[in-house]
Amino acid sequence: MLGAIEAGGTKFVCAVGKEDGTIIERIKIDTLTPEQTMPEVIDFFKRHKVKALGIGSFGPVDIDQNSPTYGNITSTPKPGWTNYPFLKTMKEALHIPIEFNTDVNVAALGEMMQGAAQGFDSCLYITVGTGIGAGAVVQGNLLQGLSHPEMGHVLVKRHPDDTFEGFCPYHKDCLEGMAAGPAIEKRWGQKGHELQNKQEVWEIEAYYLAQALMQYILTISPKKIIMGGGVMKQAQIFPLIRKQVQELLNGYVPLPQITEHIEDYIVPPALGDDAGITGALMLAKRALEKE
């Protein structure tokens, strides 16, 4: 039995399952303060006697295994969680092998091993919701360097008809500032799901997301791009994004996956809302294999 945690800013999903990704039981716990949330999390895994644990966490987090603060949540605005030693806390409580990474990197791993990118050794997973984040698997390995990627904060060109200033507290009009769920609501005065029949909303949204995907294609060259999160549940946006990616690239990457079969290249998650928790199970499997 393996354990998995998808730690989000509003809720923790904790699950136990098998090495093949089958989830046997799961619970949801509100993300309050660590003092309120973590005892419930630890109790769940103690009851199930798991052999290894995989954690995908909201961030920013320290995923450098040589760092003294490896496994910490770092500069989050979430009250009580700044510099929280997440990994250390779980290791001291459970005494089992544990692997730790970002929520989006773990979702990318889940989709590669069990979802839309099965059969590939590379994919990019981007979530577009309250914020925007992306993770990537390259040659079978989760992508990291100095830290984990922060692809949600790349800079984008402003749409000529868009006067919205952006809402990112760090960069104002970066990708997240212009295209995350709150940007849609602040720009139009309504939530995205209330605007599904307004074509101009999704044209502008696709304009920003397609620019980001172009940058990822040119830098990481993923073999599959998977787009999840609340905003991407508006299925009408996918054809707009694909078309704009093709127009932006303008034949510069002359590969059939992009020029002829882009509907199979830029896709929603095959695992739906389970990409993160499934990826965390796969991370637990890796932790067990390393022992």
Side-chain angles (χ1 to χ4, degrees):
M1 195 84 88
L2 301 175
I5 299 174
E6 182 183 12
T10 56
K11 68 179 183 300
F12 274 51
V13 180
C14 300
V16 291
K18 299 178 182 176
E19 288 189 18
D20 65 0
T22 305
I23 295 167
I24 294 166
E25 187 182 337
R26 79 172 81 197
I27 60 166
K28 292 179 182 177
I29 299 165
D30 289 338
T31 308
L32 304 171
T33 64
E35 293 74 23
Q36 293 167 291
T37 300
M38 294 306 294
E40 284 190 65
V41 172
I42 290 164
D43 180 63
F44 175 76
F45 292 110
K46 280 188 170 177
R47 282 190 285 112
H48 287 282
K49 299 183 170 59
V50 293
K51 293 282 187 281
L53 178 66
I55 301 171
S57 176
F58 70 94
V61 293
D62 184 350
I63 58 170
D64 177 2
Q65 295 192 14
N66 298 314
S67 165
T69 54
Y70 169 57
N72 284 17
I73 295 171
T74 58
S75 55
T76 180
K78 193 84 183 141
W81 293 91
T82 302
N83 300 318
Y84 180 71
F86 195 167
L87 179 60
K88 181 170 180 272
T89 301
M90 296 307 297
K91 280 190 167 179
E92 288 176 352
L94 300 177
H95 306 287
I96 56 173
I98 303 176
E99 285 271 310
F100 178 87
N101 217 294
T102 68
D103 48 2
V104 281
N105 260 354
V106 167
L109 183 67
E111 285 291 329
M112 188 191 77
M113 296 184 76
Q114 299 286 333
Q118 261 186 299
F120 296 101
D121 66 352
S122 153
C123 73
L124 183 137
Y125 179 93
I126 177 170
T127 181
V128 186
T130 308
I132 298 180
V137 182
V138 178
Q139 295 182 333
N141 295 310
L142 290 166
L143 183 64
Q144 71 181 80
L146 283 173
S147 181
H148 51 83
E150 287 284 7
M151 292 186 247
H153 292 268
V154 295
L155 299 180
V156 287
K157 284 194 297 188
R158 179 175 291 277
H159 190 284
D161 297 333
D162 190 11
T163 57
F164 177 61
E165 64 176 2
F167 83 100
C168 173
Y170 292 94
H171 317 115
K172 214 73 176 170
D173 58 358
C174 64
L175 177 66
E176 181 172 291
M178 299 304 283
I184 296 171
E185 186 176 356
K186 290 173 191 294
R187 181 185 289 111
W188 300 100
Q190 291 176 277
K191 291 185 183 293
H193 65 85
E194 298 168 333
L195 297 160
Q196 58 186 28
N197 297 319
K198 288 202 168 184
Q199 182 74 4
E200 64 270 30
V201 172
W202 307 107
E203 289 283 356
I204 287 177
E205 183 71 5
Y207 180 84
Y208 293 123
L209 293 172
Q211 286 182 63
L213 296 196
M214 177 192 182
Q215 294 179 57
Y216 308 151
I217 290 165
L218 293 174
T219 51
I220 301 172
S221 197
K223 293 178 181 175
K224 184 84 80 170
I225 294 176
I226 300 139
M227 304 188 75
V231 171
M232 298 311 301
K233 291 195 161 120
Q234 300 295 326
Q236 72 273 20
I237 198 175
F238 275 94
L240 302 175
I241 292 169
R242 293 170 185 140
K243 180 171 178 284
Q244 292 205 37
V245 166
Q246 287 176 324
E247 289 172 357
L248 285 168
L249 286 169
N250 197 27
Y252 187 71
V253 183
L255 297 171
Q257 292 93 329
I258 295 168
T259 58
E260 296 171 35
H261 308 298
I262 198 165
E263 70 282 356
D264 297 321
Y265 180 63
I266 299 170
V267 298
L271 295 170
D273 293 335
D274 283 343
I277 201 68
T278 303
L281 271 180
M282 297 299 98
L283 211 56
K285 182 182 175 185
R286 288 188 171 194
L288 199 58
E289 288 166 352
K290 284 181 180 177
E291 285 298 295

